Amino acid sequence: MAMHDGHRQRLKDRFRQEGLDHFSDVQVLELLLFYCIPRIDTNPLAHRLLERFGSLAQVLEAPAADLEKVEGMGANAATFLSLITSVGRYYLVNRSAQNTILNTTEKCGNYLVSHFYGRRNETVFLLCLDAKCKLLCCREIGEGSVNSAGIPVRRIVETALAANATSVVLAHNHPSGLATPSPEDVYTTRRLAAALDTVEIVLVDHIVVADDDFVSLVQSGYYRPGTSTFRA
């Protein structure tokens, strides 16, 4: 136990002095596991997790239920590891919220990318803006399977009206890693734009996110919005 305690303290001290830049995936996992599994050597468990999932990123993105299936992982440790990605996403969203004037596609895309950090399923978000393109809210509208996200038009219209929005930006992700808009994306955009037009709200863009990249349907020529102070 004393040997393990010494190893734990050395790894913690190294992180405090150097950061994680020169740590291996195994060492990062060991360090994280110190805080949820006391008094045992976590190195073998870190190796088992990497053998099961393939990389540190895949371990941290794995559902807690799958993590629990690895020998040595209890519910507490699985919850702790799955929390890391969610906290990272929360941090990125919280930090980007300081830029509340979203009057260009670039600003909207950069703001929205953080909302999809670590998500395994397609998820739909709606940015609601006022007449000066100030952010009123960003709401998660729905979540679909990995290959398809249901976009409830009525809920989007109701969300925009409740926020008293003048214009909105729709966004969803492609977990496959390709941000290229599909024919379904284009159809949904035009259908939603028509629905919003009936309540005098402009759909200024639809942004598709994949990893750290995003594609605008307006910039790509798939969609042309109505009048707005927003700049594509």
Side-chain angles (χ1 to χ4, degrees), residues 83-176:
L83 181 65
I84 302 299
T85 302
S86 296
V87 170
R89 180 169 61 245
Y90 189 96
Y91 160 73
L92 291 172
V93 170
N94 188 268
R95 184 180 65 175
S96 63
Q98 297 173 26
N99 180 18
T100 55
I101 302 299
L102 303 176
N103 57 356
T104 68
T105 293
E106 196 69 21
K107 289 180 180 179
C108 288
N110 290 333
Y111 176 83
L112 285 160
V113 162
S114 59
H115 286 69
F116 296 100
Y117 171 73
R119 292 185 183 272
R120 294 178 294 274
N121 293 334
E122 286 199 12
T123 310
V124 182
F125 278 90
L126 188 71
L127 281 180
C128 295
L129 309 172
D130 69 10
K132 295 182 179 180
C133 294
K134 180 179 179 180
L135 177 65
L136 297 172
C137 66
C138 182
R139 296 279 187 264
E140 181 177 333
I141 299 299
E143 182 177 292
S145 67
V146 172
N147 299 316
S148 171
I151 301 181
V153 172
R154 180 174 178 175
R155 186 175 177 189
I156 290 173
V157 172
E158 290 175 348
T159 300
L161 285 171
N164 199 28
T166 300
S167 60
V168 298
V169 177
L170 184 69
H172 79 284
N173 60 326
H174 283 177
S176 63

Side-chain angles (χ1 to χ4, degrees), residues 10-16 18-31:
R10 285 191 297 273
L11 207 59
K12 291 176 183 179
D13 290 343
R14 181 182 166 193
F15 165 68
R16 289 170 65 91
E18 305 175 7
L20 291 177
D21 290 347
H22 301 294
F23 274 54
S24 66
D25 283 6
V26 168
Q27 290 169 330
V28 173
L29 271 177
E30 275 192 274
L31 183 61

